[in-house]
Amino acid sequence: CPETRFLMRVKTIHRDSTLLPEAPIKASGLILITMKGLLPDGLKPGDHFLAKTKISPVYTFSTPGSFNYKKHLAGKSIFLKGWINSPGNIVKVETLDEVASLVYFPERIRHHIANFLDNTLTQPSRGLYKAILIGDRHDVSHSVLDSFIRAGCMHILAISGMHMGLLAFVTIATVSWLLKRSTRLLLQINVNKAAVSISLLPLIAYAFIAGFNIPVLRALLMTSAFILAIIFDRPGNLVNHILTAAFLILLWKPTVITTASFQLSFGAVISIALIYPLLINLLFKDSTDSLSGFSKVRPLKETSPFGQGILKSKFIKWLLGAIVLSLSAMLGTLPLLLFHFNRISLIAPLTSLLVEPLICFWSLIVGIIACFFIPLTPGLAQIFFKTGSAGLIFSERICAFFSAMEHVSLRLPTPSAVEIALYYILLLSIIMTFHLRPSPRRYAIIVAAVSFVSLLAIPAASDIRRQNSTATSVSVLDVGHGAATVLQLPHNKNILLDGGGAAGSNFNIGERVIGPFLWHKKIGHLDTVIITHPHADHYNGLAFILNHFRPKELWINGATGHDPEYGELLNLAKKLNIIIKIPKTDEILFQSGSTRLLCVNNGSLGMNFPNQEPNINDLSIVLKLETADNSFLFPADISAAMANTLVAAGKDLQADVLLAPHHGSKSSMSQDFIKAVEPEYIAVSVGRNNPFNLPDESFYTLEKEGIRVLLTGRDGTLTFTETGKKMNLSRYQVN
């Protein structure tokens, strides 16, 4: 069943009461509602309605490197979310009058376009058209989005200055051609300025359809600044226009400077303004006028390094120019892409060259024309949309073809602020060498050389330091209701213990939380992954991890999982040539000096309960990590009976840090087990406001005995770091 997401502007809150009816509470603000099913027929943006929903604060995973969803929504003044089980829990109260509905007119247009597309097109063209026309990517399937990302074409699906610029270009060219058909107009007006002025109308109309959100407004301001400069004969320089648009947006909403969308958009256009003329100058000797705002680019050579014959072709010039344009944007945004997404596409210049004309010159233009025909002649609008969808379908197939190739998309660790700064210093220094005279140019070359050497030296020095390090660090990640623990052991040995969370069709805990944490920690490769037992909340994020971190070994307990996904995971490991092992009880899985990882029980003791079928939780691998001065116990999801069996078997269970068994459930609470462990800390891997009401109250009572009980859902990601004989605890929380 599909899900629908929409914003509700709240005026009153009515609380359920089994005793006496409570008076409505006046309220003001936005709530993001997720509903199972489609909106009731007849309900439009701006209508007053009642909704029965459970409201809760917006939650985000408090794990370093993961996307801060709470901050993202807070930037839109959304602090609460709600869930509606069915459209039957929504009742329309009244429809706005004509004057009041004008406020919601843009949203009603977008809603009408979305409904028309739902009834006209099929996937993937339906979702892609929603993305490029109204800025809504929620209807684009995850596989299609991933194809566009891997192919380096994701930016084409986001409404940007490129879309606005191309729309302006097509409008100006068309209007100019029409106006030039009249001799009278040629004599009486400046046709070019008239065409440029008229192009503002479709740009505003497009922004109107797209909803006037921040990316759309940024694109409109940027494009309008160029157009107005032409109209008033004040061309200035490209960088000044870009910075003017950025200044206006920041003046209105300063917080957007921290968003990936703002940084990437302006990073791309500024780098095009600065780098594109230089690269073109290297290819074509006549291209000596800089668009960057510096004086004039000094040609490094009198002739093109590629010779004059081949570059006389207009098609070749256009082809190289388009590749250079995409390459310039890629160079300017490379560290930002890695910082926000840990991902770059090596074939972006080529795929953008193929996909941009199909979407921007065909599907987008035809789609905008179709929107104007929806209220007039829906049949004609339908024909336009189906005609334009051909470009979208062909683009999707191009992206799918290239994304299927290996190594076209790289996942890399998150660069530090110092590395990002050095990259841009290097880039700016190289650019300056083309504009400075010989004497000061040498200083720019020196700065560039120092920056380049530093960029190479920092990761090399960091790798040497990790290889020689004897420190131990254990991080219990906030993955909601699930389990994922990262062990950073001496000599750069990295082990992931479990890797699962709450299941969701559009949310992969490995891709969204565990992977970003590893990249944030500069971990690009895992040595070992351990699955304590085949329950989904312990492994459902590991397919992504195996694919992108390629561990040498995968340790399992040997039990057969009930879910087919577990078998698929093991098949993936075999396909990737990952060695699958089943540990033996008391086997040492890792040892370096006084640090060792021991298998306390491989699950075999769980087979020995009389008159009882084996519980898959009791077949969990139980591990103990020991250092010279500290120790950690990881009992996975064992029950209290299994915990008591370990005590009775005389196992050495004493540990400074205990990962609470079975996420702190009552069935896993054993006082004898706690006494045998004698922990200083108990870490509970559990989601905030989870439906199971975990951890059980019995775990909180342990605080009276001097044991610190820490919850990932409340305290965030917990990192225990051994420094000398002391163990330091740090908590990463998103407020």
Side-chain angles (χ1 to χ4, degrees), residues 6-169:
F6 60 93
L7 285 177
M8 182 179 184
R9 187 175 294 280
V10 180
K11 292 189 175 181
T12 57
I13 296 176
H14 303 258
R15 292 183 177 177
D16 276 343
S17 176
T18 55
L19 300 175
L20 294 173
E22 296 185 14
I25 302 171
K26 289 186 177 180
S28 177
L30 297 172
I31 297 179
L32 178 64
I33 302 290
T34 303
M35 183 182 69
K36 189 175 183 180
L38 301 175
L39 283 173
D41 292 337
L43 189 66
K44 298 178 181 178
D47 289 344
H48 290 180
F49 64 96
L50 287 171
K52 184 179 180 181
T53 176
K54 183 178 180 181
I55 300 172
S56 62
V58 175
Y59 170 75
T60 193
F61 293 100
S62 292
T63 301
S66 63
F67 177 65
N68 191 335
Y69 186 59
K70 184 177 180 180
K71 182 179 178 182
H72 170 71
L73 290 184
K76 300 179 180 181
S77 300
I78 302 169
F79 302 97
L80 296 173
K81 60 184 178 69
W83 168 256
I84 298 178
N85 290 322
S86 87
N89 290 325
I90 292 181
V91 178
K92 185 176 177 180
V93 177
E94 62 176 305
T95 302
L96 290 181
D97 57 57
E98 292 182 4
V99 176
S101 64
L102 288 175
V103 177
Y104 294 94
F105 188 59
E107 280 301 319
R108 291 196 169 192
I109 288 178
R110 298 175 75 242
H111 180 70
H112 190 52
I113 292 172
N115 284 342
F116 190 85
L117 289 170
D118 287 337
N119 297 323
T120 301
L121 301 176
T122 57
Q123 295 288 31
S125 53
R126 183 185 72 206
L128 293 174
Y129 246 136
K130 286 183 183 179
I132 65 172
L133 283 178
I134 61 176
D136 181 9
R137 294 202 297 263
H138 290 105
D139 200 22
V140 183
S141 70
H142 180 75
S143 59
V144 172
L145 278 178
D146 192 62
S147 292
F148 273 81
I149 292 171
R150 283 179 59 83
C153 295
M154 187 62 185
H155 62 284
I156 303 175
L157 298 184
I159 297 174
S160 64
M162 178 187 66
H163 293 72
M164 291 285 185
L166 291 174
L167 179 59
F169 171 77

Side-chain angles (χ1 to χ4, degrees), residues 15-16 63 99 162 193 197 213 232 268 272 278 286 324 376 389-390 419 475 547 563 568 604 610:
R15 292 183 177 177
D16 276 343
T63 301
V99 176
M162 178 187 66
K193 285 189 177 182
S197 301
N213 51 37
F232 294 105
I272 288 172
L278 302 180
D286 295 329
V324 167
L376 302 173
S389 66
E419 289 171 317
S475 297
N547 270 313
D563 302 323
E568 292 172 5
S604 57

Side-chain angles (χ1 to χ4, degrees), residues 381-447:
Q382 211 172 58
I383 293 172
F384 271 113
F385 274 127
K386 289 184 177 179
T387 303
S389 66
L392 296 174
I393 294 172
F394 195 35
S395 297
E396 189 273 331
R397 289 176 181 174
I398 290 173
C399 290
F401 172 77
F402 282 102
S403 66
M405 299 179 180
E406 289 191 15
H407 311 303
V408 297
S409 179
L410 296 183
R411 299 270 193 170
L412 298 171
T414 307
S416 65
V418 173
E419 289 171 317
I420 293 173
L422 284 171
Y423 178 88
Y424 282 116
I425 291 172
L426 169 63
L427 198 60
L428 188 59
S429 300
I430 293 173
I431 293 170
M432 292 299 296
T433 60
F434 288 85
H435 300 277
L436 297 173
R437 297 187 179 279
S439 181
R441 184 185 295 169
R442 68 169 65 98
Y443 297 108
I445 294 174
I446 292 173
V447 172

Side-chain angles (χ1 to χ4, degrees), residues 276-288 299 301-308 310-313 316-321 324:
Y276 176 77
L278 302 180
L279 297 179
I280 287 295
N281 179 55
L282 292 174
L283 294 173
F284 312 107
K285 71 170 186 176
D286 295 329
S287 300
T288 57
K301 298 183 180 181
E302 290 298 320
T303 59
S304 166
F306 294 94
Q308 292 300 302
I310 189 173
L311 296 185
K312 285 182 179 180
S313 167
I316 295 297
K317 286 185 177 181
W318 173 85
L319 183 66
L320 290 174
V324 167

